[in-house]
Amino acid sequence: MSYHEDDYLQLSGIQHFSFCRRQWALIHIEDQWAENFRTTDGALMHANAHDKGFQESRGDLLVLRGLAVHSSELGVSGECDVVEFHRAPDGISLAGREGLWQPFPVEYKRGRPSEYSHADALQLCAQALCLEEMLCCSVPRGALYYGETRHREPVELDVSLREEARSMLAEMHQLYRRGTTPKVKPGKGCSACSLRELCLPRLMRARSASGYLRAHMEEEE
């Protein structure tokens, strides 16, 4: 199956979807959003990582920032924070560069590794799948860089992670086509969610956030 470009979803949404399917739907289906310290701090970090005017080349390493990627097979598009290209005998050719190069994606995250880091790994894996489709190559591994620890966490993009990413992206497309927002399932992650006040988990177990806000605004008129 191949998706039309008009049906592409945001690649970064897989991280939201893995963390909380309702959070993803509120953002990507209902167009709800709210800022908190975590999202603002993370946006600043990504703004630096996505400096497209910056390229670094030294010896056997080429670094590109804010590289646009997409996959018609998965129906997603987005940007990689950083993609390193390491000179390697089994790599690929790059325009204007001598030799062969192996791509290595690096996704930047604020904070530190946590129990939710698997969601970050799925986002990295989706980026790798896009790179493989675009460049006709294999991307077996990448890394997650956490701003609080200033340390890279290597990620093996194995078969299990790839299958989970593909399955999750397919589920995202199904929900998006139906326009369905999952019902509230309060959990320990709710306290850290930027959409906590919009989601209102204690007040809304069956109603959508957009419906609640719309009704509330009508009452005030």
Side-chain angles (χ1 to χ4, degrees), residues 2-21:
S2 180
Y3 289 90
H4 188 275
E5 188 173 343
D6 292 340
D7 297 322
Y8 285 2
L9 299 177
Q10 291 184 27
L11 185 153
S12 59
I14 193 172
Q15 193 267 351
H16 297 134
F17 195 83
S18 177
F19 174 75
C20 173
R21 283 158 169 72

Side-chain angles (χ1 to χ4, degrees), residues 133-147:
E133 182 177 324
M134 293 173 61
L135 302 176
C136 298
C137 68
S138 174
V139 183
R141 59 190 60 85
L144 297 168
Y145 176 86
Y146 288 93

Side-chain angles (χ1 to χ4, degrees), residues 204-216:
M204 300 168 49
R205 295 188 179 274
R207 300 171 61 190
S208 73
S210 61
Y212 173 84
L213 292 174
R214 185 165 51 250
H216 184 69

Side-chain angles (χ1 to χ4, degrees), residues 83-205:
V83 179
E84 297 177 348
F85 289 87
H86 298 261
R87 195 185 298 272
D90 56 348
I92 58 172
S93 299
L94 296 178
R97 298 279 173 177
E98 295 183 357
L100 300 176
W101 303 81
Q102 173 63 48
F104 183 90
V106 182
E107 172 65 16
Y108 278 54
K109 296 296 180 183
R110 68 167 304 281
R112 60 176 60 243
S114 70
E115 59 188 299
Y116 304 114
S117 293
H118 186 66
D120 302 335
L122 284 167
Q123 182 179 350
L124 181 71
C125 184
Q127 293 174 4
L129 291 172
C130 289
L131 287 169
E132 289 181 341
E133 182 177 324
M134 293 173 61
L135 302 176
C136 298
C137 68
S138 174
V139 183
R141 59 190 60 85
L144 297 168
Y145 176 86
Y146 288 93
E148 190 171 329
T149 61
R150 297 191 177 185
H151 181 72
R152 282 189 178 188
E153 298 291 331
V155 178
E156 291 293 328
L157 306 173
D158 57 24
V159 173
S160 176
L161 189 64
R162 289 166 181 266
E163 290 180 349
E164 184 177 1
R166 290 180 183 277
S167 175
M168 197 164 286
L169 289 169
E171 187 180 349
M172 288 164 60
H173 277 285
Q174 291 173 1
L175 284 179
Y176 192 84
R177 283 195 297 269
R178 295 200 302 264
T180 302
T181 298
K183 294 182 180 180
V184 172
K185 292 183 179 180
K188 57 183 178 181
C190 292
S191 60
C193 179
S194 63
L195 299 184
R196 178 175 53 183
E197 298 303 320
L198 294 174
C199 180
L200 302 174
R202 295 184 179 180
L203 299 179
M204 300 168 49
R205 295 188 179 274

Side-chain angles (χ1 to χ4, degrees), residues 33-51 81 107-111:
W33 184 246
E35 294 284 357
N36 64 10
F37 170 76
R38 290 181 175 85
T39 58
T40 302
D41 188 44
L44 291 173
M45 172 178 286
H46 282 82
N48 293 329
H50 283 201
D51 182 0
D81 288 340
E107 172 65 16
Y108 278 54
K109 296 296 180 183
R110 68 167 304 281

